[in-house]
Amino acid sequence: MAAEQKLMSVRRDWRERDVRVVLAALVIAVATVATIALFASQLQRTLVTSASSFLAADRQLEAENGRPIPDAWLQEATARGLETGQMVEFSTMVFGGGGFQLVSVKAVSNEYPLRGEIEIQSGPDSPRELVKAGPQPGEVWINPRLLRLLELEIGDSLEVGNLQLTVSGLLIREPDGGFRLSALAPRVMMHKDDVPATGVVQEGSRVEYVYLFAGEESALEGYYEWLRPQLEPSHEWEGVRDGETFSRSLQRAERFLLLGGSLAVLLAAVAVAVASRQYALSQRDTVALLKTLGLNGAGIGRLYLRRLLLWGITGVVGGLVVAIPLFWLLASMLSDVLERPVDIYLDPAALTPALLTALVSLFAFAYPPIRRLRNVPAMRVLRSQPGESGREAWPDMLVAIVAIFGLVWLYAGELALVVSLLGGLVLLLLALGLLGWGLVTVLRRVRGGGNAWRLALVGLYRHRNASLSQIAVFAMTLMLAATLVLVRTSLLNDWQAQLPDDAPNHFLINIAPETVDEVAGFWDEQGQPLEELYPMVRGRLTELNGQPVKEAVSKDERIGALNRELNLTWMESLPEDNEIIEGQWFADGEQNGVSVEAELAGRLGLQLGDELTFTIGSEKVTEVVTSIRTVQWDSMKPNFYMAFPPGGGLEGLPATWITSFYLPPEKKTALNAFSRQFPTVSVLEIDHIISRIQEIVQQVTRAIEAILALILAAALVVMAAVVSATLRDRQREGALLRTLGGRQSLLVRSTMLEFAVLGGFAGLLGVVAAEAAVYALQFRMFEGTFNWHWQVIIPIPLISAVVLSLFGRWQLRPVLSVSPMLLLRRLE
Amino acid sequence: MNQMTKPTPESQPPMLRAKGLTHRVRLETDTLTILQGVNLEINRGESVAIVGRSGSGKTTLLGLLAGLDTPTEGSVELDGATISQLSEDQRAQLRASRVGFVFQSFQLLPALTALENVMLPLELAGIEEPEKRARELLERVGLGERLTHTPRQLSGGEQQRVAIARAFASEPVVLFADEPTGNLDNRTGQAVSDLLMALNREQGTTLVMVTHDEHLAARCARQFHIEAGQLTEPEALGEPVS
Ligand SMILES: Nc1ncnc2c1ncn2[C@@H]1O[C@H](COP(=O)(O)OP(=O)(O)O)[C@@H](O)[C@H]1O
Ligand SMILES: [Mg+2]
């Protein structure tokens, strides 16, 4: 119908305020969700790349049996389009400068590293540089400590076995400076092709062959599928996410982004819902008029459906127009922060949630009130009919709630998240019901007054319906924003607590029992006291309830911990950061039993009362599991899978002691004196790993803050949309109040107070609901502990009150600056 | 406040006095003169009708007389106070204590019940027990049963009766009515104007009413004609018809 076409011009729509709000909300919805999704995907890629550099590759295959892997395995990888590289690690004595020293050698092929960079210095006082390849054949890079220990200089030669190599650089940091107990002695890096000439590596010597792989994720997965059946127990396949110190932090960051994205979806949907309901209400007269002009209900339905589609397209296009440059901006900021180029990648899959958000917002939120327009009686033209009571909107609400949680679920893939948020919202609605009841019963009694306070309270009562729904939307918005702030705060606090500036960054291993006191004394004197010292016995878990463990546990579960020797210890009291989750810690004087780390227990299916047999050297020790405990793997303190009581199963077995401590960079030279005094004690330097982790945490923190800012901006827009939905009514009222003799100052004060009360209440409700949601989230998603967050509970309601009252003042502007006459004319 | 103290009986100036009122509005291209040199005096307790065609400037004049707007030239004295010398807040104070309004389009707040609408000026004026007073007035205009209804649930005539109750609630000394029956059918309009005149007589209010309804105008003591922004007073008709 031509008339319908005419009625549907976007230009005509644009003249209507409410349509502008719907469109703005849609654009913001699509833009926010798309930006976050794109950025999250980018961040994920970037972080995985930085994380990959921890392996110097995307995956590593370690052969701990001292034999290289078959050539066919590498050929297969190349055939599958993967890049490969090789390393050989072994310990040996080196000679140079008139001294000798046990070192840990890493010999690398030309391709090393596939990911990340090596940090070197060409002399002790030269600047640090990042390079993409190891030393040339004939050259060697050494740890600066070794340079001092052997009193070498750059250009001197170093004897590795039968081979003379030239010291051409200082090795500051390896990209794969992993946390490996084998890397004890000072590091030396040479070329792999030189290894045979040294004559050090022979059949049966302790050598670790490590293979590097990099390429497309799917190719890597496919290759592993192919490789897995052929792997022997001594082969270990390592991906980014397996057992790396910081992978937990990464996972939490990812979840945080998902949470942020979900909240953005929620906020945007609220904005669309509010604006379109307002629009539908404003369209009732038009619809009645169209009906008298002969359009039937179905025609009206079609008319508005088409309009809706048009909006959808406009919203999506507009949203993407905003999102894509914004994403580019964020991505290049990321690249600045990381101080290295980032491949900006526009992930098409990341746009799906944005499109879905637009569709769901339109059809679950905007459509229902608009659909009901077809029922508007034509009679309305002649006589104003009672409007909607709001009761018709209840089924809409249900549809909306189901839709939104479906969307969040789909988006975050976390039922826990959905349930937590839903719980928070239910609590919010309950509190609102209570508040509504209170508002009506208490405020009903407040009457009259040239007094701004009383007028404000009367105003609240007068607008009780609008007030309550505004409080509902504000509270919800604030709840979502506060949830995010709280989760961010606890996330960051967690990280900082985990890795304080003085987190232990050196391990001492292999301390003989009789030198324990001397070692501790040495570092006390340096003013760098040691953390708790633990005895350590190495052994394998060989039997489970009398059955060989390899039979008792399915092949898939034959994880690293079973292939390697485990670090066993005995201790009297539970370390502070461990937590018993099942069973009981050893009673005083108890000598039986073993306490197992929770994750390992889970993977092996160990229960309290299971009997474990360990093979330690030639001895067998059998104990019953008496407790299962969690461990902070990233605490940078010694951690143990298995702990025995003092005088228990490990009694009498030869043990060495292990500990960690913090050593600031300026005291690094003390290590030389220490090594001379205690040549048998191994020092494991992990200070570079720690600073790298701290760097990553900082990057993630910045990214999270950027996203948080985006979401808070979206929240502000929602609030603006909601308040401006009642703008006309408020201006009319303002004009009338002035006509009836209300003073400007009275009007200003009462409006500001009214909004302040509104904002305060909304803030309080929002924060309490947020606490509830965080309480639930904290346990299920972020593994943290819950505290009341006074630093948020107090300021948010205050800020919300102040901001809203300023906003109210701002809205009043046109009412104050114009003569009441003009206002009345305008509002006719 | 001082400017607004009641004048002493012996001097008794007129309730309303307009001198040389001219009002112009600036349009995009030129200026439009809506009122041109209007002079007018209205005494206490008088009822006055201003009649003219649509667009002749009636509403504009009413707004200036009531102090809702300030004239481009000329001055208005209301109850002894020179409106153009008052600040916006003083004008508001004046309106709150002395002036009532009835509009063609009722101007009730849609979110409020009838009772709350009537209470509004009472609350603004800080009058004690606003609810009691508002109830009485609504009963007086025959809406005692409709206190909790919102404007949407009332017919046009009923809405205008609420507006009249609101106008008289704060016992104004002067009431401005802008085509109070303009949006109503004849019979309803008749009933509304009866009510308006009756309350006016009861309270001894000065009434300034704008209308294009000659019949309604005839019920006022004096009538002015306005045409193209110029005001003329045909010879006085003596006693109003009732
Ligand atoms: N603020 C304004 N801007 C432009 N034109 C105006 C303004 N106020 C009044 N007018 C014009 O002045 C004329 C007189 O208006 P009004 O006083 O409302 O007339 P009446 O009430 O007699 O119908 C009309 O033509 C109106 O359009
Ligand atoms: Mg008029």
Side-chain angles (χ1 to χ4, degrees):
Chain A
M1 231 192 275
E4 281 183 33
Q5 299 282 333
K6 266 223 166 115
L7 284 166
M8 230 183 55
S9 103
V10 174
R11 259 177 62 201
R12 203 190 274 203
D13 263 3
W14 187 247
R15 284 205 298 264
E16 284 189 71
R17 247 184 69 82
D18 299 311
V19 177
R20 288 202 300 267
V21 177
V22 174
L23 283 181
L26 265 179
V27 167
I28 288 164
V30 172
T32 322
V33 175
T35 311
I36 289 178
L38 281 172
F39 186 62
S41 150
Q42 173 78 51
L43 197 68
Q44 163 100 39
R45 286 172 71 91
T46 312
L47 287 179
V48 167
T49 323
S50 357
S52 295
S53 64
F54 267 77
L55 296 174
D58 292 333
R59 300 285 191 282
Q60 276 193 2
L61 177 64
E62 285 173 31
E64 286 173 338
N65 55 4
R67 284 194 307 273
I69 60 170
D71 279 345
W73 292 9
L74 287 177
Q75 281 156 15
E76 176 69 18
T78 315
R80 286 172 181 263
L82 296 176
E83 287 176 77
T84 61
Q86 302 173 40
M87 325 190 291
V88 187
E89 292 185 19
F90 54 92
S91 297
T92 188
M93 281 292 179
V94 292
F95 299 86
F100 55 91
Q101 173 72 34
L102 182 74
V103 299
S104 148
V105 178
K106 178 178 197 158
V108 299
S109 67
N110 288 330
E111 299 83 12
Y112 173 91
L114 299 183
R115 296 275 187 263
E117 283 146 342
I118 312 170
E119 193 173 328
I120 58 166
Q121 270 177 309
S122 50
D125 306 314
S126 314
R128 295 178 170 196
E129 43 187 315
L130 293 172
V131 295
K132 283 247 171 218
Q136 296 295 308
E139 292 181 2
V140 65
W141 294 343
I142 65 174
N143 182 305
R145 193 154 65 85
L146 184 64
L147 192 81
R148 292 189 294 267
L149 277 172
L150 293 180
E151 290 162 5
L152 282 171
E153 279 176 36
I154 298 288
D156 287 355
S157 67
L158 186 75
E159 238 172 85
V160 182
N162 307 327
L163 191 67
Q164 295 267 355
L165 294 171
T166 312
V167 177
S168 64
L170 295 179
L171 183 64
I172 305 299
R173 181 165 71 177
E174 306 160 41
D176 52 337
F179 186 52
R180 248 183 246 125
L181 286 178
S182 56
L184 300 180
R187 178 65 103 188
V188 161
M189 186 182 278
M190 57 185 278
H191 198 279
K192 182 173 172 289
D193 292 350
D194 286 338
V195 173
T198 62
V200 173
V201 174
Q202 277 152 14
E203 194 69 36
S205 47
R206 270 201 73 161
V207 183
E208 203 170 295
Y209 289 89
V210 182
Y211 300 86
L212 307 174
F213 302 90
E216 289 289 329
E217 194 57 34
S218 56
L220 288 164
E221 299 281 334
Y223 177 62
Y224 181 53
E225 284 307 307
W226 175 85
L227 187 65
R228 193 158 61 172
Q230 315 179 53
L231 291 180
E232 291 169 34
S234 57
H235 288 141
E236 197 176 338
W237 179 258
E238 265 193 275
V240 174
R241 275 147 211 276
D242 304 336
E244 286 295 328
T245 17
F246 66 105
S247 76
R248 274 157 237 264
S249 311
L250 240 178
Q251 276 167 12
R252 283 195 234 176
E254 246 179 271
R255 285 183 164 167
F256 185 84
L257 288 180
L258 282 178
L259 177 68
S262 313
L263 297 193
V265 172
L266 272 176
L267 286 178
V270 171
V272 172
V274 169
S276 53
R277 183 172 153 77
Q278 201 59 32
Y279 172 74
L281 289 179
S282 76
Q283 283 297 295
R284 296 171 68 83
D285 287 336
T286 313
V287 168
L289 188 71
L290 289 176
K291 277 197 168 173
T292 57
L293 295 180
L295 209 59
N296 60 12
I300 291 190
R302 269 201 309 278
L303 181 72
Y304 282 95
L305 200 62
R306 251 188 268 168
R307 185 168 288 183
L308 220 62
L309 282 177
L310 216 62
W311 294 353
I313 295 168
T314 316
V316 167
V317 171
L320 291 186
V321 164
V322 175
I324 290 174
L326 201 63
F327 160 67
W328 274 80
L329 202 78
L330 278 176
S332 35
M333 265 168 58
L334 185 69
S335 143
D336 284 349
V337 169
L338 296 183
E339 291 171 352
R340 66 190 168 81
V342 164
D343 299 325
I344 295 184
Y345 175 68
L346 214 83
D347 184 2
L351 296 180
T352 322
L355 298 186
L356 266 178
T357 304
L359 270 179
V360 173
S361 305
L362 272 181
F363 286 93
F365 301 105
Y367 184 58
I370 288 175
R371 184 182 51 92
R372 279 199 312 270
L373 277 176
R374 68 168 74 181
N375 305 328
V376 170
M379 181 61 191
R380 193 184 160 88
V381 173
L382 301 181
R383 189 181 181 287
S384 170
Q385 302 272 323
E388 294 199 329
S389 66
R391 209 159 285 143
E392 306 90 303
W394 275 107
D396 293 3
M397 281 270 274
L398 270 179
V399 170
I401 288 177
V402 169
I404 201 61
F405 284 100
L407 203 61
V408 173
W409 192 354
L410 197 84
Y411 193 56
E414 283 274 0
L415 194 59
L417 181 92
V418 180
V419 171
S420 301
L421 289 180
L422 193 66
L425 282 180
V426 166
L427 203 85
L428 194 83
L429 287 178
L430 284 179
L432 259 173
L434 214 69
L435 184 71
W437 176 81
L439 200 70
V440 171
T441 47
V442 175
L443 291 185
R444 163 174 277 150
R445 306 211 176 128
V446 183
R447 278 294 168 234
N451 175 316
W453 256 111
R454 287 169 77 190
L455 205 66
L457 294 180
V458 172
L460 271 176
Y461 178 69
R462 261 204 314 265
H463 310 129
R464 55 197 170 271
N465 285 330
S467 299
L468 276 178
S469 56
Q470 284 184 353
I471 289 182
V473 175
F474 293 161
M476 184 166 148
T477 308
L478 286 170
M479 166 196 154
L480 299 180
T483 305
L484 215 56
V485 172
L486 288 179
V487 172
R488 167 198 164 274
T489 311
S490 71
L491 198 63
L492 298 189
N493 285 348
D494 256 23
W495 280 343
Q496 265 144 29
Q498 233 171 60
L499 281 182
D501 284 341
D502 57 353
N505 57 1
H506 287 75
F507 275 77
L508 298 180
I509 300 159
N510 219 11
I511 307 170
E514 60 276 11
T515 57
V516 164
D517 290 340
E518 262 179 89
V519 168
F522 179 93
W523 289 111
D524 275 342
E525 229 166 84
Q526 297 287 332
Q528 305 300 142
L530 302 178
E531 301 280 335
E532 188 84 30
L533 279 136
Y534 295 99
M536 186 167 97
V537 175
R538 287 173 70 87
R540 276 176 201 273
L541 176 61
T542 45
E543 282 171 38
L544 177 52
N545 292 326
Q547 222 186 341
V549 75
K550 303 228 161 164
E551 288 165 30
V553 175
S554 73
K555 186 172 189 331
D556 271 356
E557 299 297 342
R558 251 185 257 153
I559 21 152
L562 292 184
N563 297 327
R564 274 195 294 243
E565 289 198 307
L566 296 174
N567 294 332
L568 316 175
T569 193
W570 68 82
M571 44 175 122
E572 193 159 342
S573 52
L574 189 68
E576 256 172 47
D577 55 4
N578 286 201
E579 203 180 320
I580 298 283
I581 56 173
E582 264 181 76
Q584 222 117 65
W585 186 246
F586 312 114
D588 270 348
E590 176 64 61
Q591 299 189 337
N592 297 316
V594 59
S595 172
V596 185
E597 188 270 334
E599 236 170 80
L600 182 69
R603 282 192 289 174
L604 296 181
L606 297 184
Q607 309 282 332
L608 291 182
D610 276 346
E611 219 176 60
L612 306 182
T613 303
F614 299 89
T615 306
I616 299 155
S618 55
E619 306 258 340
K620 283 202 172 193
V621 172
T622 301
E623 288 291 347
V624 166
V625 178
T626 54
S627 67
I628 294 181
R629 84 207 125 83
T630 58
V631 157
Q632 294 290 323
W633 286 113
D634 30 18
S635 68
M636 301 300 154
K637 291 173 193 163
N639 281 307
F640 300 90
Y641 281 123
M642 305 288 172
F644 295 74
L650 300 181
E651 181 69 16
L653 290 170
T656 58
W657 294 68
I658 177 172
T659 188
S660 61
F661 68 110
Y662 172 70
L663 186 61
E666 67 273 12
K667 288 197 182 168
K668 281 283 284 199
T669 45
L671 282 177
N672 295 331
F674 180 79
S675 294
R676 279 199 203 97
Q677 194 176 336
F678 304 97
T680 56
V681 174
S682 305
V683 181
L684 182 57
E685 296 162 76
I686 55 166
D687 41 348
H688 287 305
I689 302 181
I690 299 220
S691 57
R692 183 88 184 105
I693 292 175
Q694 276 162 342
E695 236 172 71
I696 287 190
V697 165
Q698 252 168 29
Q699 291 156 14
V700 174
T701 306
R702 288 210 185 110
I704 280 173
E705 268 157 9
I707 282 178
L708 197 64
L710 245 169
I711 288 167
L712 290 181
L716 273 183
V717 171
V718 172
M719 292 186 136
V722 171
V723 175
S724 55
T726 59
L727 184 64
R728 251 182 89 86
D729 285 349
R730 287 202 172 270
Q731 291 189 345
R732 176 191 292 272
E733 185 175 325
L736 203 71
L737 282 173
R738 275 187 67 195
T739 306
L740 297 181
R743 288 206 228 167
Q744 289 196 351
S745 55
L746 184 71
L747 207 62
V748 167
R749 263 181 296 143
S750 70
T751 306
M752 286 181 77
L753 277 172
E754 189 185 330
F755 272 88
V757 172
L758 209 84
F761 262 123
L764 201 64
L765 283 179
V767 166
V768 170
E771 286 279 8
V774 170
Y775 180 74
L777 280 175
Q778 202 87 47
F779 282 128
R780 304 183 149 273
M781 292 186 69
F782 299 102
E783 305 167 5
T785 45
F786 180 81
N787 299 308
W788 287 96
H789 302 86
W790 297 111
Q791 76 275 25
V792 178
I793 292 180
I794 293 166
I796 282 201
L798 282 180
I799 292 172
S800 151
V802 169
V803 166
L804 269 186
S805 75
L806 289 178
F807 196 70
R809 172 70 185 79
W810 186 65
Q811 292 236 306
L812 214 55
R813 220 173 11 131
V815 181
L816 296 180
S817 59
V818 167
S819 78
M821 189 74 209
L822 207 63
L823 276 170
L824 289 177
R825 255 184 216 288
R826 243 188 234 165
L827 295 169
E828 264 316 63
Chain B
M1 276 302 263
N2 311 353
Q3 292 109 309
M4 282 182 278
T5 45
K6 287 228 161 149
T8 48
E10 49 271 27
S11 62
Q12 267 303 342
M15 187 69 207
L16 253 179
R17 179 192 288 152
K19 271 193 250 161
L21 275 191
T22 294
H23 197 62
R24 299 190 193 93
V25 288
R26 196 172 295 156
L27 301 180
E28 270 148 51
T29 47
D30 54 346
T31 12
L32 176 69
T33 306
I34 304 175
L35 291 177
Q36 180 72 58
V38 170
N39 294 305
L40 175 75
E41 271 191 24
I42 298 171
N43 293 319
R44 262 154 223 290
E46 256 185 333
S47 62
V48 170
I50 300 172
V51 191
R53 267 179 293 160
S54 178
S56 53
K58 304 183 295 289
T59 300
T60 309
L61 176 59
L62 197 76
L64 293 178
L65 293 178
L68 291 178
D69 208 347
T70 43
T72 318
E73 283 167 28
S75 68
V76 176
E77 265 175 52
L78 199 160
D79 204 4
T82 307
I83 283 177
S84 52
Q85 288 172 358
L86 301 184
S87 71
E88 177 57 43
D89 272 356
Q90 286 167 327
R91 283 205 293 270
Q93 181 81 48
L94 181 72
R95 286 197 294 271
S97 54
R98 318 269 167 89
V99 180
F101 289 96
V102 176
F103 304 96
Q104 178 175 3
S105 52
F106 321 139
Q107 299 285 9
L108 298 179
L109 289 179
L112 307 197
T113 63
L115 186 66
E116 287 163 349
N117 263 297
V118 177
M119 279 163 58
L120 202 60
L122 299 172
E123 286 167 352
L124 282 173
I127 287 170
E128 291 296 310
E129 296 198 82
E131 191 169 335
K132 183 161 167 272
R133 173 97 183 113
R135 242 176 234 280
E136 284 167 12
L137 267 153
L138 279 168
E139 267 155 29
R140 174 66 188 82
V141 301
L143 293 174
E145 309 288 300
R146 315 291 299 269
L147 301 179
T148 59
H149 290 197
T150 58
R152 265 208 292 262
Q153 294 163 307
L154 300 173
S155 73
E158 285 160 350
Q159 289 187 47
Q160 195 61 304
R161 272 147 68 195
V162 175
I164 288 170
R166 178 179 67 187
F168 283 103
S170 53
E171 301 184 343
V173 290
V174 52
L175 184 86
F176 292 95
D178 187 6
E179 309 209 27
T181 60
N183 277 2
L184 303 173
D185 61 86
N186 272 342
R187 280 186 52 190
T188 317
Q190 181 71 38
V192 163
S193 50
D194 284 350
L195 188 63
L196 185 63
M197 300 309 284
L199 274 164
N200 189 45
R201 253 195 320 275
E202 279 168 31
Q203 298 202 357
T205 317
T206 308
L207 174 68
V208 183
M209 177 162 59
V210 153
T211 180
H212 55 239
D213 177 354
E214 298 283 349
H215 194 71
L216 180 54
R219 301 174 72 172
C220 295
R222 290 166 74 193
Q223 293 176 20
F224 290 89
H225 276 277
I226 185 166
E227 200 171 332
Q230 308 245 5
L231 193 73
T232 52
E233 184 178 17
E235 61 182 272
L237 291 173
E239 283 305 298
V241 268
S242 21

